[in-house]
Amino acid sequence: QITLKESGPTLVKPTQTLMLTCTFSGFSLSTPGVGVGWIRQPPGKALEWLALIYWDDVRRYRQSLKSRLTITKDTSRNQVVLTLTNMDPVDTATYSCAHLNSFTHYDAIGRIDSYYFDQWGQGTLVTVSS
Amino acid sequence: QSVLTQSPSASGTPGQRVTISCSGSSSNIGDNFIYWYQQVPGMAPKLLIYRDNQRPSGVPDRFSGSKSGTSASLAIGGLRSEDEADYYCAAWDNSLSGWLFGGGTKLTVL
């Protein structure tokens, strides 16, 4: 059974750096074909993908936030850490981590591994206010 | 343009069939799989459909997904009160090299 849990501060001041930890169980980030991503949801608004890291340490970031985001993994501790610098009140949101599963398919190019979010943590509300 | 567009709301009565649509472009839905999530307020999103039309184990067959070109749909048959939730489509976007989520559709069961 896969579980994920987010932890970190619930309140940060503008310009501060947010560091969130996703602690998971039921899978290993050293196993090919898995990954972990971060998604946030401002109150009353839609889901917004932020970043992801695959088992092979490949990372992807939301383009509009790329300069402010960093994602890292600690395979031995089953944790993924997200940092978001220069926090602003518009960054107030519930931040969630999610497990990335994958499947293999083939097209004209050849073999493709497609990933998707299949299990989510409960999320943690982060408020940015002075 | 790399966005996924959903109607903000949908509604139906118990037992009815409703369809929720998601419109994208050639860089996302047109070239990648679509995924659907259900989010009950205050809860984590739950995967309903993956790989355009596949249901994870435990998801009732009342839920079905389809895709044509750069648009996709989620159909819910035999509507139940517990289906009242927000529904999000998601797809990888090749231009952005990142995930896109739709704006969400709030389903009300009348």
Side-chain angles (χ1 to χ4, degrees):
Chain A
Q1 180 192 2
I2 290 173
T3 63
L4 307 101
K5 186 170 184 179
E6 307 84 357
S7 58
T10 58
L11 179 65
V12 297
K13 290 179 168 45
T15 75
Q16 286 187 334
T17 293
L18 171 69
M19 185 168 77
L20 295 171
T21 300
C22 175
T23 303
F24 55 85
S25 63
F27 68 97
S28 170
L29 258 180
S30 61
T31 301
V34 302
V36 171
W38 285 92
I39 302 97
R40 71 180 180 182
Q41 186 172 33
K45 295 189 177 181
L47 300 168
E48 181 179 78
W49 170 75
L50 298 176
L52 63 81
I53 188 164
Y54 297 122
W55 62 279
D56 55 2
D57 212 33
V58 170
R59 309 166 200 203
R60 296 286 182 262
Y61 297 101
R62 185 177 190 82
Q63 282 191 356
S64 60
L65 296 172
K66 190 172 184 177
S67 63
R68 299 172 53 204
L69 283 167
T70 304
I71 189 169
T72 59
K73 64 181 175 72
D74 185 331
T75 303
S76 64
R77 300 179 70 177
N78 281 352
Q79 291 182 332
V80 170
V81 175
L82 181 79
T83 61
L84 181 60
T85 62
N86 194 24
M87 291 291 282
D88 183 272
V90 300
D91 296 313
T92 293
T94 295
Y95 288 74
S96 302
C97 58
H99 173 259
L100 279 161
N101 202 347
S102 67
F103 56 88
T104 300
H105 56 104
Y106 297 84
D107 65 8
I109 299 174
R111 171 184 167 139
I112 299 175
D113 292 323
S114 288
Y115 288 81
Y116 62 101
F117 299 108
D118 66 343
Q119 297 288 339
W120 298 60
Q122 280 299 311
T124 183
L125 176 61
V126 178
T127 301
V128 185
S129 174
S130 55
Chain B
Q1 188 177 3
S2 293
V3 295
L4 298 182
T5 302
Q6 296 181 243
S7 296
S9 63
S11 63
T13 56
Q16 263 191 333
R17 174 185 169 92
V18 297
T19 300
I20 295 170
S21 63
C22 177
S23 177
S25 66
S26 58
S27 64
N28 42 69
I29 297 177
D31 199 38
N32 296 295
F33 294 105
I34 191 79
Y35 302 85
W36 290 93
Y37 297 89
Q38 176 193 59
Q39 187 180 33
V40 174
M43 303 292 286
K46 172 188 174 183
L47 177 67
L48 282 181
I49 298 289
Y50 70 101
R51 200 171 179 174
D52 293 346
N53 54 22
Q54 303 296 302
R55 283 185 309 276
S57 61
V59 174
D61 59 7
R62 303 187 294 108
F63 295 89
S64 62
S66 63
K67 188 177 84 172
S68 178
T70 59
S71 295
S73 296
L74 171 72
I76 309 172
L79 203 59
R80 300 175 136 181
S81 58
E82 58 259 39
D83 297 333
E84 192 161 283
D86 295 320
Y87 292 83
Y88 293 92
C89 59
W92 180 262
D93 188 278
N94 297 334
S95 299
L96 298 174
S97 288
W99 280 91
L100 284 176
F101 285 92
T105 297
K106 182 177 181 61
L107 175 63
T108 301
V109 181
L110 302 169

